[in-house]
């Protein structure tokens, strides 16, 4: 097939990165100083498109071009990409045979020796279905979009000779005895003071009246739901207990739990080099990043290197490969999305299934998270407060919910945060981080006054989970067996958010009858 040629067609697209910049747990944003790194970060935002935008002649395959081809040429130099076309049955073709959609596989090396691999899905009369343009947000939840994704995944497995390479990924197993599940009960049965419910309600009502951002809050203790209420305009409001809200980066925790299932079945190992599974990554040397490095955000990837669009392109892991010349593994904690996207590509390659399907069928449905869905693996989750509380209870149970075990207690322990320097002594930051988890030691606003210890925290010091740019909350306190959730769409409150959240958590904290530190 003819090589990809550069074209005068220029595609400009502004990427919205605000979602990545607002979580309170991120260290100061890394700003690349190396011009080469800046160039490569720009390069991975460019994808492949049909020349002219639409496939017009159904009798032949359309010419494919880079978006912003002149800029691509200036960054990577000449890079002829050999194009191979395949039909929906994965047969290689020289011309269309009526079995659409078709997938184009593009492969080549740049002047600098970088391996460039891309995939494009297209049908006559339509545009290229790649990561650009991103499918409509709602399409990510649809079975038809997953089937398109799985066509690319199947072709990738075929090209790499991995169609029958991996053992079957098993569904969560039934286990006895049953682990704690969420259920109704009284505050006394849950070990909570009855008056604490009034305090929680007052804090939440004041929060809504100040922010005007609707939300649903839930507090459970020892599996007993002691507080579960929606806060919205009493007349025009539409938020109910059953309204799913945007979970933002708590989605990373859910993806990590799915990955833990793969670990538990021996399909992946945290300390294996990524290159043992995903092609073109090194398996040894200073740039041999491991899966642990991706989860702990020490792989050297940049927060602007991914924005969630990767989920619909089977070869998006190659975008990280293209950044290898600039990666410094184990040196810094750089919070980003591409780290999580790489783990999604691994799960897809092992199973041949879309990671969005895996999240639904191997996490949400078995846990009874009936109103949950995800449009990507890093920040696109939507859940009700009850659904995310079930997920939190599963983590509190160390991998089980009811009579279903998702992964072993031993695997759960591997998910918990650890100091970065315990694995990378040269790391600039020594914060605790795990698989989509970190500790939350939020200081009690009264600490140091009226005899309250100066180091007192809201909930125990072992409280863990992940932050969210939307302001969604999931706190899991293993010492007091408490799960706190709060779901909402967005957070535009600035510093006031922390104050209002602290007031709510203080009401929860004070409500525990025999609180453990």
């Amino acid at each position: 097939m003819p090589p990809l040629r550069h074209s005068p067609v220029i595609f400009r697209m502004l990427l919205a990165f605000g979602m990545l910049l607002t979580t309170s747990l991120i260290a100061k944003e890394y700003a690349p100083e190396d011009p080469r790194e800046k160039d490569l970060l720009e390069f991975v935002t460019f994808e492949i498109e049909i020349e002219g935008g639409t496939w017009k002649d159904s009798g032949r395959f359309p010419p494919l071009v880079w978006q912003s081809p002149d800029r691509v040429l200036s960054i990577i130099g000449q890079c002829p990409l050999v194009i191979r076309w395949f039909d929906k049955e994965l047969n290689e073709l020289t011309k269309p045979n009526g079995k659409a959609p078709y997938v184009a596989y593009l492969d080549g090396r740049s002047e600098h020796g970088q391996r460039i691999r891309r995939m494009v899905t297209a049908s006559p009369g339509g545009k290229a279905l790649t990561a650009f343009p991103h499918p409509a947000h709602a399409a990510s939840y649809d079975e038809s979009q997953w089937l398109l994704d799985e066509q690319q995944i199947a072709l990738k497995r075929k090209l790499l000779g991995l169609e029958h390479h991996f053992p079957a990924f098993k569904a969560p197993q039934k286990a006895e005895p049953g682990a704690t599940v969420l259920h109704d009960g009284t505050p006394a049965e849950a070990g909570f003071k009855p008056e604490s419910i009034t305090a929680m309600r007052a804090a939440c009502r004041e929060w809504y009246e100040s922010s005007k951002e609707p939300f649903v809050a839930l507090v459970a203790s020892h599996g007993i739901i002691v507080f579960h209420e929606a806060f919205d305009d009493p007349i025009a409001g539409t938020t109910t207990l059953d309204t799913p809200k945007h979970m933002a980066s708590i989605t990373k925790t859910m993806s990590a739990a799915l990955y833990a299932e793969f670990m538990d079945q021996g399909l992946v190992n945290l300390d294996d080099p990524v290159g043992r599974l995903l092609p073109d990554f090194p398996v040894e040397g200073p740039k041999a990043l491991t899966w642990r490095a991706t989860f702990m955000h020490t792989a050297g990837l940049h927060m602007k290197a991914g924005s969630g669009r990767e989920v619909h392109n089977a070869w998006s892991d190659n975008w990280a490969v293209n950044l290898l010349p600039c990666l410094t593994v184990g040196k810094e904690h750089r919070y980003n999305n591409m780290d999580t996207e790489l783990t999604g590509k691994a799960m897809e390659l092992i199973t041949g299934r879309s990671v969005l399907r895996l999240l639904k069928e191997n996490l949400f449905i078995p846990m009874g998270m009936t109103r949950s869905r995800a449009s990507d693996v890093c920040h696109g989750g939507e859940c009700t407060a009850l659904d995310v509380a079930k997920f939190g209870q599963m983590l509190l149970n160390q991998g089980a919910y009811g009579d279903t075990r998702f992964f072993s207690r031993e695997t759960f322990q591997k998910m918990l945060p650890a100091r970065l320097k315990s694995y990378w002594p040269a790391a600039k930051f020594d914060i605790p981080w795990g698989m989509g988890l970190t500790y939350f030691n939020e200081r009690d606003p009264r600490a140091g006054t009226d005899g309250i210890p100066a180091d007192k925290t809201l909930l125990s010091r072992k409280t863990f989970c992940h932050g969210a740019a939307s302001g969604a909350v999931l706190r899991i306190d293993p010492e007091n067996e408490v799960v706190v959730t709060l779901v909402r769409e967005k957070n535009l409150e600035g510093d006031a958010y922390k104050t209002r959240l602290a007031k709510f958590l203080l009401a929860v904290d004070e409500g525990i009858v025999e609180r453990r530190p």
Side-chain angles (χ1 to χ4, degrees):
M1 297 296 293
L4 177 73
R5 63 183 184 277
H6 293 283
S7 161
V9 178
I10 298 177
F11 179 92
R12 293 184 177 92
M13 186 172 185
L14 296 176
L15 296 176
F17 295 111
M19 186 173 293
L20 290 176
L21 304 178
T22 54
T23 173
S24 62
L25 296 173
I26 303 175
K28 184 179 180 180
E29 182 188 356
Y30 168 76
E33 298 179 357
D34 180 0
R36 181 62 177 159
E37 184 174 5
K38 292 180 181 179
D39 284 346
L40 290 177
L41 284 168
E42 183 181 2
F43 168 65
V44 298
T45 69
F46 300 130
E47 256 295 338
I48 305 295
E49 65 181 358
I50 295 173
E51 187 172 31
T54 304
W55 183 350
K56 298 178 180 179
D57 183 355
S58 62
R60 64 185 180 90
F61 288 119
L64 302 175
V65 296
W66 282 108
Q67 296 162 345
S68 298
D70 295 336
R71 182 61 181 136
V72 169
L73 180 64
S74 70
I75 295 174
I76 66 171
Q78 293 292 340
C79 182
L81 297 176
V82 175
I83 306 173
R84 299 166 64 187
W85 285 92
F86 298 81
D87 66 15
K88 66 180 180 180
E89 297 174 354
L90 307 186
N91 299 307
E92 188 166 5
L93 308 171
T94 57
K95 62 180 181 179
N97 64 356
K99 297 180 179 179
Y102 302 97
V103 175
Y105 169 62
L106 304 93
D107 187 9
R109 287 191 182 274
S110 72
E111 286 184 2
H112 307 287
Q114 292 171 286
R115 187 73 176 269
I116 309 295
R117 305 194 203 229
R118 299 292 188 269
M119 267 187 181
V120 173
T121 300
S123 294
K127 296 182 178 180
L129 302 174
T130 71
F132 280 96
H134 194 293
H137 185 71
S140 296
Y141 309 124
D142 194 87
E143 172 85 12
S144 61
Q145 179 62 52
W146 299 349
L147 291 173
L148 288 173
D149 297 346
E150 287 167 353
Q151 183 180 354
Q152 285 199 3
I153 296 165
L155 179 55
K156 181 178 183 179
R157 282 161 55 96
K158 178 178 179 178
L159 293 169
L160 295 174
L162 299 176
E163 294 169 289
H164 308 290
H165 181 74
F166 301 102
F169 176 54
K170 301 175 184 177
Q173 302 297 300
K174 296 298 180 182
E176 294 291 345
T180 300
V181 299
L182 296 182
H183 57 283
D184 294 328
T186 66
E189 291 171 328
F192 261 70
K193 303 170 187 174
E195 62 270 21
S196 66
I197 309 305
T198 301
M200 293 180 213
R201 183 178 298 117
C204 288
R205 175 52 60 185
E206 180 183 335
W207 190 349
Y208 169 74
E209 293 298 338
S210 300
S211 68
K212 296 302 180 183
E213 177 61 34
F215 64 87
V216 181
L218 184 150
V219 178
S221 177
H222 303 278
I224 298 172
I225 299 171
V226 297
F227 183 75
H228 187 199
E229 297 185 13
F231 296 87
D232 200 346
D233 186 282
I235 299 175
T238 58
T239 295
T240 72
L241 298 183
D242 295 326
T243 304
K245 299 283 188 179
H246 181 39
M247 299 310 301
S249 285
I250 293 174
T251 309
K252 291 181 175 69
T253 310
M254 297 176 183
S255 301
L258 178 64
Y259 191 90
E261 295 183 41
F262 284 76
M263 289 170 50
D264 207 56
Q265 296 178 32
L267 296 171
V268 286
N269 187 305
L270 260 185
D271 292 309
D272 279 348
V274 168
R276 286 190 184 173
L277 183 55
L278 298 181
D280 306 323
F281 287 91
V283 296
E284 57 184 8
K287 296 184 184 294
L289 56 142
T290 63
W291 295 113
R292 188 185 299 277
T294 64
F295 280 111
M296 298 181 80
H297 298 300
T298 57
L301 292 168
H302 189 278
M303 60 175 24
K304 289 192 171 76
S307 62
R309 68 188 189 279
E310 301 90 339
V311 73
H312 296 300
N313 196 307
W315 275 104
S316 60
D317 48 295
N318 185 256
W319 303 348
V321 170
N322 299 157
L323 297 172
L324 279 171
C326 301
L327 296 192
T328 53
V329 180
K331 300 295 184 181
E332 295 184 78
H333 176 83
R334 296 184 188 173
Y335 184 87
N336 67 88
N337 283 339
M338 188 174 280
D339 279 331
T340 307
E341 291 289 352
L342 286 179
T343 67
K345 294 300 114 180
M347 292 185 278
E348 290 181 338
L349 195 60
I350 291 170
T351 63
R353 295 152 64 192
S354 163
V355 70
L356 302 182
R357 184 190 300 279
L358 291 170
L359 278 168
K360 179 179 179 179
E361 296 180 355
N362 290 76
L363 194 70
F364 297 159
I365 290 177
M367 208 176 302
M369 297 170 65
T370 57
R371 295 181 178 270
S372 295
R373 60 186 189 176
S375 61
D376 59 47
V377 296
C378 48
H379 57 66
E382 293 184 2
C383 299
T384 63
L386 178 59
D387 276 2
V388 75
K390 291 178 181 178
F391 175 73
Q393 186 66 47
M394 183 274 290
L395 293 178
L396 184 60
N397 296 340
Q398 301 189 36
Y401 190 80
D403 62 355
T404 303
R405 179 154 289 281
F406 294 84
F407 43 83
S408 67
R409 294 175 180 273
E410 292 74 19
T411 295
F412 169 77
Q413 292 297 320
K414 296 176 183 178
M415 294 182 66
L416 290 173
R419 290 283 176 182
L420 299 187
K421 286 183 179 292
S422 62
Y423 293 98
W424 297 279
K428 292 183 180 180
F429 302 106
D430 194 24
I431 61 175
W433 209 275
M435 291 177 58
L437 300 174
T438 192
Y439 289 119
F440 282 83
N441 296 145
E442 290 150 312
R443 190 169 182 263
D444 188 320
R446 308 163 305 165
T449 63
D450 299 327
I452 297 173
D455 62 348
K456 184 182 181 300
T457 59
L458 295 173
L459 303 178
S460 81
R461 294 184 182 88
K462 293 185 179 181
T463 298
F464 65 87
C465 199
H466 198 288
S470 64
V473 173
L474 175 57
R475 298 288 190 273
I476 304 161
D477 181 351
E479 292 297 297
N480 295 295
E481 296 188 50
V482 168
V483 174
V484 179
T485 69
L486 186 148
V487 297
R488 52 190 284 166
E489 282 299 318
K490 59 185 181 294
N491 178 13
L492 303 177
E493 299 176 63
D495 290 340
Y497 171 84
K498 294 181 181 179
T499 302
R500 293 161 183 163
L501 173 60
K503 190 167 186 177
F504 170 54
L505 293 179
L506 178 60
V508 177
D509 186 272
E510 287 191 306
I512 303 172
V513 174
E514 296 183 5
R515 183 192 180 280
R516 297 181 179 181

